[in-house]
Amino acid sequence: MLRKFYIIILAFWLILLLPSLAQEKLKDNKAISNAIDNKQYTIADSLLKQNIVQFIAARRYDTLLYYIPLKGKLVYKQRGAEKAIAAVYSFIDVIKSYDSSSKLICTAYQDAAEFFGKIGQNQEGYNAIKIALGYAMKVAGNNNIVIADCEYNMGVYAQRLANVSLSGIHHRKALQLRQASKAPPEAIYQSNNAIASCYWYASNYDSATYFYKKAFEVVNGMPDSLSIKKYRLGLIENNIASVYSMQGNSSDAINTQQRSIAYYQQFIAKDEDHPKKYAATAAL
């Protein structure tokens, strides 16, 4: 009976400890990043190892994902991109040894890809997302949204690599899956906008206009309370105006540009701070 009591008490304290571990993680992550920025690599490495050991002991394996970019950043600053890429993949292997669930490892490779993109390694970013896609396909239940996110991100990296055709293939797959799964409007908007951009770069202006208009419809259907709504409508109209201009359709280009400016002005006039206000002002 006494043993059972101690087990209950231990479980209670572990529950109380989890939020504090999460708060400590945020604080230590900043400390690690600052140490790296200040070239205090020994300190950064020590803090990184301490945190990893701590969360492994607490069986908070999902929290280890937060250390993927920090691990990469630490090695990148000291030894360059090639070694950083190897270190990131090696760290993911460590995570796998504790928790090999498909969804967690899928996220790990997506986080790795984001880091690779930040250091200019877009091909490796594409490769990492391709690995993530393999795990996404193994996620139990309705995994269409997870697969769609991978396809979308592969489209992003393919476009960065100037492979517009491949980018379009991935983005169309993502849109199809997102529509079939009734994904949130935000995701549908992103896919339509990405496909439109692919067609624009490929000089397929009619298709670009079609998908920009689809993106506009999705955003226009979002709640007016969404602070960024008017900015996005202005941005899309600006893109459509640019397409019309490329086609030599001056009249439609001018009219559409005027609507774009009106949306930007409405966004700027809102009595709230937003990081996109500077971009909207610059677009006028």
Side-chain angles (χ1 to χ4, degrees):
M1 184 68 182
L2 188 60
R3 181 174 178 273
K4 184 177 181 182
F5 172 77
Y6 281 131
I7 291 172
I8 292 171
I9 291 296
L10 178 61
F12 173 75
W13 280 110
L14 282 173
I15 290 169
L16 290 179
L17 181 62
L18 293 182
S20 66
L21 282 175
Q23 292 169 4
E24 196 68 27
K25 173 206 71 182
L26 294 175
K27 183 177 72 175
D28 285 350
N29 281 7
K30 187 175 181 180
I32 294 167
S33 187
N34 288 340
I36 296 170
D37 291 338
N38 292 322
K39 298 183 179 180
Q40 297 172 324
Y41 301 129
T42 303
I43 294 174
D45 186 56
S46 178
L47 287 172
L48 185 63
K49 288 176 179 175
Q50 288 174 22
N51 279 265
I52 290 170
V53 169
Q54 180 183 18
F55 286 106
I56 288 174
R59 298 192 178 187
R60 292 292 303 276
Y61 306 128
D62 58 328
T63 308
L64 296 177
L65 302 181
Y66 291 96
Y67 295 94
I68 290 172
L70 287 172
K71 180 70 173 177
K73 181 179 179 181
L74 177 60
V75 177
Y76 174 69
K77 290 292 185 178
Q78 297 178 91
R79 303 169 67 190
E82 185 178 345
K83 296 295 184 181
I85 290 167
V88 165
Y89 282 134
S90 179
F91 183 51
I92 292 176
D93 287 339
V94 171
I95 297 173
K96 285 181 192 176
S97 70
Y98 291 99
D99 187 342
S100 59
S101 59
S102 297
K103 192 168 185 179
L104 181 74
I105 303 306
C106 174
T107 305
Y109 280 108
Q110 291 189 76
D111 290 347
E114 185 175 353
F115 168 73
F116 297 151
K118 285 180 178 178
I119 62 171
Q121 301 298 310
N122 291 313
Q123 182 61 61
E124 202 60 51
Y126 182 89
N127 295 344
I129 294 293
K130 190 173 182 179
I131 297 171
L133 178 61
Y135 283 95
M137 291 178 174
K138 298 175 185 177
V139 172
N142 186 357
N143 58 2
N144 280 349
I145 294 296
V146 185
I147 294 172
D149 289 346
C150 289
E151 290 285 359
Y152 177 86
N153 288 327
M154 289 174 77
V156 170
Y157 285 103
Q159 187 155 4
R160 290 181 186 177
L161 292 165
N163 194 334
V164 178
S165 177
L166 180 61
S167 177
I169 291 170
H170 287 303
H171 283 309
R172 284 189 291 274
K173 285 182 180 178
L175 178 60
Q176 185 179 24
L177 289 166
R178 285 172 169 177
Q179 288 175 328
S181 303
K182 297 182 179 179
E186 178 77 17
I188 304 297
Y189 151 70
Q190 289 175 347
S191 286
N192 277 301
N193 199 57
I195 294 170
S197 296
C198 288
Y199 279 123
W200 185 3
Y201 284 117
S203 300
N204 190 335
Y205 299 125
D206 288 340
S207 294
T209 302
Y210 173 83
F211 281 99
Y212 276 134
K213 287 183 176 180
K214 284 293 183 181
F216 184 93
E217 289 174 10
V218 175
V219 175
N220 201 36
M222 292 179 179
D224 290 334
S225 58
L226 183 67
S227 60
I228 202 172
K229 178 177 178 178
K230 298 296 184 182
Y231 172 76
R232 284 179 174 170
L233 291 175
L235 185 63
I236 295 168
E237 288 281 45
N238 180 70
N239 289 337
I240 294 173
S242 297
V243 173
Y244 284 149
S245 180
M246 294 293 290
Q247 291 177 307
N249 189 344
S250 301
S251 178
D252 283 343
I254 292 170
N255 291 334
T256 307
Q257 190 63 54
Q258 287 175 341
R259 291 197 299 271
S260 172
I261 291 170
Y263 283 124
Y264 282 143
Q265 289 173 333
Q266 291 173 44
F267 174 67
I268 293 167
K270 294 189 73 172
D271 188 23
E272 61 178 285
D273 291 329
H274 196 285
K276 291 294 185 182
K277 279 198 172 184
Y278 177 80
T281 303
L284 295 178

